[in-house]
Amino acid sequence: MKKPAIQLKNISYTYDDGTTGLKNITLNIKKGESIALLGPNGAGKSTLLQSIPHILKPTQGEIKVLGHKVKNNEEWVRRKVSIVFQDPHDQLFMPTVFEDIAFGPMQLEICNKNSIEEIVKESLKKVGLPGKEQKGSHDLSFGQKKRIALATVLSMNPEIVLLDEPVSNLDPGARENMIKLLKQIDKTKIIASNDIEMVLQTCSKAIILQNGELKKQGPAEKILTDNQLLKKYGLRVPSIIKALGKEGLKHLK
C-alpha cells in the first residue's frame, strides 16, 4: 500500500478581512497520486495549494507532509513541496532564465556552483526549452514563461509538485506542450484547474471545492463525466468529452 504524501485534518483558513478561504477540510493524498482540484472562482483551490507548504498558514487544523507535521514554511518543507503559481511573473524575477532556475537549488543548498550548470541545463531540457539559459523572461512568450516557471520547480527535485492553473491563458499549441509535460512529471501532483479535458489527461482523482469546503472526491473519470454533478458546482463537461463518451475517453490519455 502506498504511503501518504499529504494528510490534511480539519484545515481551515480565514483571510485578514474575515473571508473564509477554507473550512474543515480533511484529505489524504497518497504518494504518486495525481489529483485535480476543481471548483468555481473563489472555491478555495489556490488557498488550499498554498496552505499545504504553509505559504498561507492555516487558521486551524493539521497538515502532514510525508508523515511529518508542517508548522511553518520551513526549509525541509520547501525541499519536499514546490508550487508553480498561476502567473509565471510571480515566479520569475531574476535577470536571466539561468538565475531563475538556479535560485531555488542554491538557496536550499541542494547543489554547489560546480553542479548548478548541469541542473539548469537538465531542467530546461525537461521542459523542452534547451539553450534558453541567458534569455531574460521578458524575451519569452507567455507559454515559454509557464514552462520556465515549471523548470524552477523541477530544478529542486521536490517529491510533491503543486500547480495552480498550469494551462490557463495558453494558446492551443502551448497548452498541448504543457499537458505533455504534466504527464511526464513522475511525482505526487496536485493540479488546480477547471480545464476538464486537461484534468482527464493528467489526473486519476478529482476533488471539487465550493466556498472553501470539500464537496466531492473520487475517480477523475467518474466525476468529470457527470454533467449534472459538475453543473451543480458551476462546472461543465466540454463538448468534446460529451461527443467521445466514456469509452472514447481513453483516446485523450
Side-chain angles (χ1 to χ4, degrees):
M1 182 178 291
K2 291 184 178 180
K3 295 181 179 179
I6 300 171
Q7 297 164 286
L8 285 70
K9 184 178 180 181
N10 298 325
I11 293 299
S12 294
Y13 182 82
T14 303
Y15 284 95
D16 291 340
D17 64 0
T19 302
T20 297
L22 300 171
K23 186 176 180 181
N24 295 325
I25 290 185
T26 294
L27 182 64
N28 291 303
I29 296 170
K30 296 176 183 177
K31 283 187 179 181
E33 282 193 311
S34 187
I35 308 295
L37 287 182
L38 308 167
N41 291 339
K45 301 187 297 295
S46 297
T47 305
L48 181 56
L49 286 185
Q50 294 184 50
S51 293
I52 292 170
H54 277 44
I55 294 173
L56 297 177
K57 189 172 182 177
T59 309
Q60 70 173 41
E62 179 181 274
I63 294 177
K64 288 185 178 180
V65 168
L66 302 169
H68 301 283
K69 185 176 179 179
V70 181
K71 297 179 181 178
N72 292 293
N73 186 231
E74 304 154 280
E75 183 176 311
W76 75 265
V77 179
R78 296 196 300 275
R79 286 174 179 266
K80 300 295 184 182
V81 184
S82 291
I83 185 169
V84 182
F85 294 104
Q86 178 177 356
D87 188 344
H89 300 105
D90 293 335
Q91 206 126 14
L92 307 177
F93 52 86
M94 301 295 281
T96 66
V97 164
F98 181 95
E99 291 168 284
D100 270 317
I101 297 174
F103 182 82
M106 295 297 289
Q107 285 291 109
L108 296 177
E109 298 182 345
I110 58 179
C111 66
N112 56 45
K113 290 184 179 179
N114 294 325
S115 61
I116 190 60
E117 287 190 15
E118 187 59 33
I119 289 174
V120 172
K121 183 178 179 180
E122 185 62 25
S123 298
L124 283 170
K125 184 179 178 181
K126 287 179 179 178
V127 300
L129 293 172
K132 298 291 185 183
E133 288 89 341
Q134 298 310 315
K135 291 286 187 179
S137 60
H138 57 275
D139 295 321
L140 305 174
S141 68
F142 188 74
Q144 289 174 328
K145 290 176 185 178
K146 284 257 197 182
R147 284 192 275 165
I148 295 297
L150 177 58
T152 68
V153 163
L154 297 180
S155 69
M156 294 184 283
N157 195 29
E159 293 191 38
I160 299 166
V161 179
L162 313 175
L163 302 110
D164 196 354
E165 301 286 356
V167 298
S168 65
N169 301 315
L170 294 181
D171 63 47
R175 177 180 173 278
E176 287 305 310
N177 285 334
M178 181 59 73
I179 290 173
K180 289 178 183 178
L181 293 176
L182 295 177
K183 292 167 74 172
Q184 292 168 6
I185 299 174
D186 187 22
K187 300 175 184 290
T188 305
K189 300 188 291 288
I190 305 179
I191 302 174
S193 178
N194 287 334
D195 188 317
I196 306 300
E197 185 181 341
M198 180 275 290
V199 165
L200 277 166
Q201 294 180 72
T202 57
C203 298
S204 57
K205 184 177 178 180
I207 292 167
I208 296 178
L209 300 177
Q210 185 182 59
N211 297 325
E213 296 184 70
L214 196 161
K215 294 295 187 180
K216 190 77 175 180
Q217 62 178 306
E221 186 173 316
K222 182 177 180 179
I223 287 180
L224 299 177
T225 55
D226 188 335
N227 196 31
Q228 187 173 357
L229 176 69
L230 294 180
K231 188 174 181 180
K232 178 180 179 181
Y233 294 112
L235 304 166
R236 66 180 180 83
V237 177
S239 56
I240 186 173
I241 294 174
K242 289 181 182 178
L244 286 172
K246 291 187 177 182
E247 279 298 311
L249 289 178
K250 60 185 177 183
H251 298 297
L252 284 176
K253 300 180 180 181

